Amino acid sequence: MTRHRKAYSRQSPISREASTRVLTNGRLMDALSSGETGSAWHRRRLTLPQAIGITVLALAHVLDYTTFVILVARHTLAAEANPIVRNIYESTGIGGLTIAKFFTVVLAASMTVVIWPRYPKLAALLLTFGVAAGLFGALTNVASL
């Protein structure tokens, strides 16, 4: 087993635990000073800004979805301004639209969590865009009521 230089984790400014890059059987692994081995992927935790951002993203899209349901109940589908939503609703119904909306939020949240450690500004921009899209959809639905 070959040991390389000590490195400090850039994951969190609070935790300055030393880690060592260990080469075993031709594979590069992280070994924490506590003796734990494994990749950084298994030690990753959701931070408070990530949790808040993902929660706000989900709430914005829930608001968009509920205002859409109210809009379609009060008026017809013709009142919906987004042609993509209108097309999904016409071809798959409310169930397909629900699944599409759910997986859109899950995809945005997953991408945010994955890219946050390396590109935090890009991840925050992605969350901001997702929240803005949800709020814009909700506002246009409310305006059409």
Side-chain angles (χ1 to χ4, degrees):
M1 184 161 40
T2 307
R3 294 214 178 251
H4 295 279
R5 63 182 175 85
K6 293 264 183 184
Y8 290 91
S9 174
R10 293 180 8 162
Q11 294 291 328
S12 132
I14 298 169
S15 171
R16 301 297 288 177
E17 186 175 67
S19 63
T20 304
R21 303 294 285 191
V22 179
L23 192 61
T24 56
N25 298 334
R27 296 178 61 196
L28 190 61
M29 298 175 61
D30 291 335
L32 295 176
S33 59
S34 63
E36 174 188 343
T37 59
S39 67
W41 179 258
H42 297 296
R43 292 187 309 270
R44 186 174 294 168
R45 299 278 191 262
L46 195 65
T47 63
L48 184 63
Q50 289 173 335
I52 291 171
I54 291 170
T55 302
V56 171
L57 174 74
L59 289 175
H61 283 275
V62 165
L63 182 64
D64 179 30
Y65 180 77
T66 55
T67 56
F68 170 77
V69 170
I70 294 169
L71 175 75
V72 171
R74 287 188 182 174
H75 307 288
T76 63
L77 186 61
E80 173 59 40
N82 189 344
I84 297 171
V85 172
R86 196 176 328 139
N87 188 17
I88 292 172
Y89 185 79
E90 286 175 347
S91 52
T92 61
I94 194 71
L97 184 65
T98 304
I99 291 170
K101 179 64 93 171
F102 175 76
F103 281 116
T104 301
V105 172
V106 168
L107 177 67
S110 300
M111 286 176 53
T112 299
V113 169
V114 168
I115 67 173
W116 193 287
R118 188 179 281 271
Y119 305 105
K121 290 181 182 178
L122 181 63
L125 184 67
L126 174 68
L127 274 178
T128 304
F129 180 76
V131 169
L135 291 178
F136 181 75
L139 288 176
T140 57
N141 289 342
V142 168
S144 299
L145 289 175

Coordinates of all heavy atoms in Angstrom, one line a residue, residues 43-84:
R43 N -19.4 9.8 1.7 CA -19.4 10.7 2.9 C -20.1 12.0 2.7 O -20.2 12.8 3.5 CB -17.9 11.0 3.3 CG -17.2 9.8 3.8 CD -15.9 10.2 4.3 NE -15.1 11.0 3.4 CZ -14.2 10.5 2.5 NH1 -14.1 9.2 2.4 NH2 -13.5 11.2 1.7
R44 N -20.6 12.2 1.5 CA -21.3 13.4 1.1 C -22.6 13.6 1.9 O -23.4 12.7 1.9 CB -21.5 13.5 -0.4 CG -22.1 14.8 -0.8 CD -22.2 14.9 -2.3 NE -20.8 14.9 -2.8 CZ -20.6 14.7 -4.1 NH1 -21.5 14.5 -5.0 NH2 -19.3 14.7 -4.5
R45 N -22.8 14.8 2.4 CA -24.1 15.1 3.1 C -24.7 16.3 2.5 O -24.1 17.1 1.9 CB -23.8 15.4 4.6 CG -23.1 14.3 5.4 CD -24.2 13.3 5.9 NE -23.6 12.4 6.8 CZ -23.2 11.2 6.5 NH1 -23.3 10.8 5.3 NH2 -22.8 10.4 7.4
L46 N -26.0 16.4 2.7 CA -26.8 17.5 2.1 C -26.5 18.7 3.1 O -26.8 18.6 4.3 CB -28.2 17.2 2.1 CG -29.1 18.1 1.2 CD1 -28.7 18.0 -0.2 CD2 -30.6 17.6 1.4
T47 N -26.1 19.8 2.6 CA -25.8 21.0 3.4 C -27.1 21.8 3.6 O -28.1 21.6 2.9 CB -24.8 21.9 2.8 OG1 -25.3 22.4 1.5 CG2 -23.4 21.2 2.6
L48 N -27.1 22.7 4.6 CA -28.3 23.5 4.8 C -28.7 24.4 3.6 O -29.9 24.4 3.3 CB -28.1 24.4 6.1 CG -29.3 25.2 6.5 CD1 -30.4 24.2 6.9 CD2 -28.9 26.0 7.7
P49 N -27.8 25.1 3.0 CA -28.2 25.8 1.8 C -28.8 25.0 0.7 O -29.7 25.4 0.0 CB -26.9 26.5 1.3 CG -26.0 26.6 2.5 CD -26.4 25.4 3.3
Q50 N -28.2 23.8 0.5 CA -28.8 22.9 -0.5 C -30.2 22.4 -0.1 O -31.1 22.4 -0.9 CB -27.9 21.6 -0.6 CG -26.6 21.8 -1.3 CD -25.8 20.6 -1.2 OE1 -25.9 19.7 -0.3 NE2 -24.8 20.4 -2.2
A51 N -30.4 22.1 1.2 CA -31.7 21.7 1.6 C -32.8 22.8 1.5 O -33.9 22.6 1.1 CB -31.6 21.2 3.1
I52 N -32.4 24.0 1.9 CA -33.3 25.1 1.7 C -33.6 25.4 0.3 O -34.8 25.6 -0.1 CB -32.7 26.4 2.4 CG1 -32.6 26.2 3.9 CG2 -33.5 27.6 2.0 CD1 -31.9 27.3 4.7
G53 N -32.6 25.4 -0.6 CA -32.8 25.6 -2.0 C -33.7 24.6 -2.7 O -34.6 24.9 -3.4
I54 N -33.5 23.3 -2.3 CA -34.3 22.2 -2.9 C -35.7 22.3 -2.4 O -36.7 22.1 -3.1 CB -33.7 20.9 -2.6 CG1 -32.4 20.8 -3.4 CG2 -34.6 19.7 -2.9 CD1 -31.5 19.6 -3.1
T55 N -35.9 22.7 -1.1 CA -37.2 22.9 -0.5 C -38.0 24.0 -1.2 O -39.2 23.9 -1.6 CB -37.2 23.1 1.0 OG1 -36.5 22.0 1.6 CG2 -38.5 23.3 1.6
V56 N -37.3 25.1 -1.4 CA -37.9 26.3 -2.1 C -38.3 25.9 -3.6 O -39.3 26.2 -4.1 CB -37.0 27.5 -2.1 CG1 -37.5 28.6 -2.9 CG2 -36.9 28.0 -0.6
L57 N -37.4 25.1 -4.2 CA -37.7 24.7 -5.6 C -38.9 23.8 -5.6 O -39.8 24.0 -6.5 CB -36.5 23.9 -6.1 CG -36.6 23.2 -7.5 CD1 -36.6 24.2 -8.6 CD2 -35.6 22.1 -7.6
A58 N -39.0 22.9 -4.7 CA -40.2 22.0 -4.7 C -41.5 22.8 -4.4 O -42.5 22.5 -5.0 CB -40.0 20.9 -3.6
L59 N -41.4 23.7 -3.4 CA -42.6 24.5 -3.1 C -43.0 25.4 -4.3 O -44.2 25.5 -4.5 CB -42.3 25.4 -1.9 CG -42.2 24.6 -0.5 CD1 -41.8 25.6 0.6 CD2 -43.5 23.9 -0.2
A60 N -42.1 25.9 -5.0 CA -42.4 26.8 -6.2 C -43.2 25.9 -7.2 O -44.2 26.4 -7.8 CB -41.2 27.4 -6.8
H61 N -42.7 24.7 -7.4 CA -43.3 23.9 -8.4 C -44.7 23.3 -8.0 O -45.5 23.0 -8.8 CB -42.4 22.8 -8.9 CG -41.4 23.4 -9.9 ND1 -41.6 23.5 -11.2 CD2 -40.1 23.9 -9.7 CE1 -40.6 24.1 -11.8 NE2 -39.7 24.4 -10.9
V62 N -44.8 23.0 -6.7 CA -46.1 22.6 -6.1 C -47.1 23.7 -6.3 O -48.2 23.5 -6.6 CB -45.9 22.2 -4.6 CG1 -47.3 22.1 -3.9 CG2 -45.2 20.9 -4.6
L63 N -46.7 25.0 -6.0 CA -47.5 26.1 -6.2 C -48.0 26.2 -7.7 O -49.1 26.5 -8.0 CB -46.8 27.4 -5.8 CG -47.6 28.7 -5.9 CD1 -48.9 28.6 -5.0 CD2 -46.8 29.9 -5.5
D64 N -47.0 26.0 -8.6 CA -47.3 26.1 -10.0 C -48.3 25.0 -10.4 O -49.3 25.2 -11.1 CB -46.0 25.9 -10.8 CG -46.2 25.9 -12.4 OD1 -47.2 26.5 -12.8 OD2 -45.5 25.3 -13.1
Y65 N -48.1 23.8 -9.9 CA -49.0 22.7 -10.2 C -50.4 22.9 -9.7 O -51.4 22.7 -10.4 CB -48.4 21.4 -9.6 CG -49.2 20.1 -9.9 CD1 -49.2 19.5 -11.1 CD2 -50.0 19.6 -8.9 CE1 -50.0 18.4 -11.4 CE2 -50.8 18.5 -9.1 CZ -50.8 17.9 -10.3 OH -51.5 16.8 -10.6
T66 N -50.5 23.3 -8.4 CA -51.8 23.5 -7.8 C -52.6 24.7 -8.5 O -53.8 24.6 -8.8 CB -51.8 23.8 -6.3 OG1 -50.9 24.9 -6.1 CG2 -51.3 22.6 -5.6
T67 N -51.9 25.7 -8.9 CA -52.6 26.8 -9.6 C -53.0 26.3 -11.0 O -54.0 26.8 -11.5 CB -51.7 28.1 -9.8 OG1 -50.4 27.7 -10.4 CG2 -51.5 28.7 -8.4
F68 N -52.2 25.4 -11.6 CA -52.6 24.9 -12.9 C -53.9 24.0 -12.8 O -54.8 24.2 -13.6 CB -51.5 24.0 -13.5 CG -51.9 23.2 -14.7 CD1 -52.1 23.8 -15.9 CD2 -52.3 21.9 -14.6 CE1 -52.5 23.1 -17.0 CE2 -52.7 21.1 -15.7 CZ -52.8 21.7 -16.9
V69 N -54.0 23.2 -11.7 CA -55.2 22.4 -11.5 C -56.4 23.3 -11.3 O -57.5 23.0 -11.8 CB -54.9 21.4 -10.3 CG1 -56.2 20.7 -9.9 CG2 -53.9 20.4 -10.7
I70 N -56.2 24.3 -10.5 CA -57.4 25.3 -10.3 C -57.7 26.0 -11.6 O -58.9 26.1 -11.9 CB -57.0 26.3 -9.2 CG1 -56.8 25.5 -7.8 CG2 -58.0 27.4 -9.1 CD1 -56.2 26.4 -6.7
L71 N -56.7 26.4 -12.3 CA -57.0 27.0 -13.6 C -57.8 26.2 -14.6 O -58.8 26.6 -15.2 CB -55.7 27.5 -14.3 CG -55.8 28.1 -15.7 CD1 -56.3 29.5 -15.5 CD2 -54.4 28.0 -16.3
V72 N -57.4 24.9 -14.7 CA -58.1 24.0 -15.6 C -59.5 23.7 -15.1 O -60.4 23.5 -15.8 CB -57.3 22.7 -15.8 CG1 -58.0 21.6 -16.6 CG2 -56.0 23.0 -16.6
A73 N -59.7 23.6 -13.8 CA -61.0 23.3 -13.2 C -61.9 24.5 -13.4 O -63.1 24.3 -13.7 CB -60.9 23.0 -11.7
R74 N -61.5 25.7 -13.3 CA -62.3 26.9 -13.5 C -62.6 27.2 -14.9 O -63.7 27.6 -15.3 CB -61.8 28.1 -12.7 CG -61.9 28.0 -11.3 CD -61.4 29.3 -10.6 NE -61.5 29.2 -9.2 CZ -61.1 30.2 -8.4 NH1 -60.6 31.3 -8.9 NH2 -61.1 30.0 -7.1
H75 N -61.5 27.1 -15.7 CA -61.6 27.4 -17.1 C -61.2 26.2 -17.9 O -61.0 25.1 -17.3 CB -60.6 28.6 -17.5 CG -60.8 29.8 -16.6 ND1 -61.9 30.6 -16.7 CD2 -60.1 30.3 -15.6 CE1 -61.8 31.6 -15.9 NE2 -60.7 31.4 -15.1
T76 N -61.1 26.2 -19.1 CA -60.6 25.1 -19.9 C -59.1 25.1 -20.0 O -58.4 26.0 -19.5 CB -61.2 25.1 -21.3 OG1 -60.8 26.3 -22.0 CG2 -62.8 25.1 -21.3
L77 N -58.6 24.1 -20.7 CA -57.1 24.0 -20.9 C -56.6 25.1 -21.8 O -55.4 25.5 -21.8 CB -56.8 22.6 -21.5 CG -55.3 22.3 -21.7 CD1 -54.6 22.3 -20.4 CD2 -55.2 21.0 -22.4
A78 N -57.5 25.8 -22.6 CA -57.1 26.9 -23.4 C -56.5 28.1 -22.6 O -55.8 28.9 -23.2 CB -58.3 27.3 -24.3
A79 N -56.9 28.1 -21.4 CA -56.4 29.3 -20.5 C -54.9 29.1 -20.2 O -54.2 30.0 -19.8 CB -57.2 29.4 -19.3
E80 N -54.3 27.9 -20.3 CA -52.9 27.6 -20.0 C -52.0 28.3 -21.0 O -52.2 28.1 -22.2 CB -52.6 26.1 -19.9 CG -51.2 25.8 -19.8 CD -50.5 26.3 -18.5 OE1 -51.2 26.3 -17.5 OE2 -49.4 26.7 -18.6
A81 N -51.1 29.1 -20.6 CA -50.2 29.8 -21.5 C -49.0 29.0 -22.0 O -48.5 29.3 -23.1 CB -49.7 31.1 -20.8
N82 N -48.6 28.0 -21.3 CA -47.4 27.2 -21.7 C -47.8 26.1 -22.6 O -48.5 25.2 -22.3 CB -46.8 26.6 -20.4 CG -45.4 26.0 -20.7 OD1 -45.1 25.7 -21.8 ND2 -44.7 25.7 -19.6
P83 N -47.3 26.2 -23.9 CA -47.7 25.1 -24.9 C -47.1 23.8 -24.5 O -47.7 22.7 -24.9 CB -47.1 25.7 -26.2 CG -46.1 26.6 -25.8 CD -46.5 27.2 -24.5
I84 N -46.0 23.7 -23.8 CA -45.4 22.4 -23.5 C -46.4 21.7 -22.4 O -46.7 20.5 -22.6 CB -44.0 22.5 -22.9 CG1 -43.1 23.1 -24.0 CG2 -43.5 21.2 -22.4 CD1 -41.7 23.5 -23.5

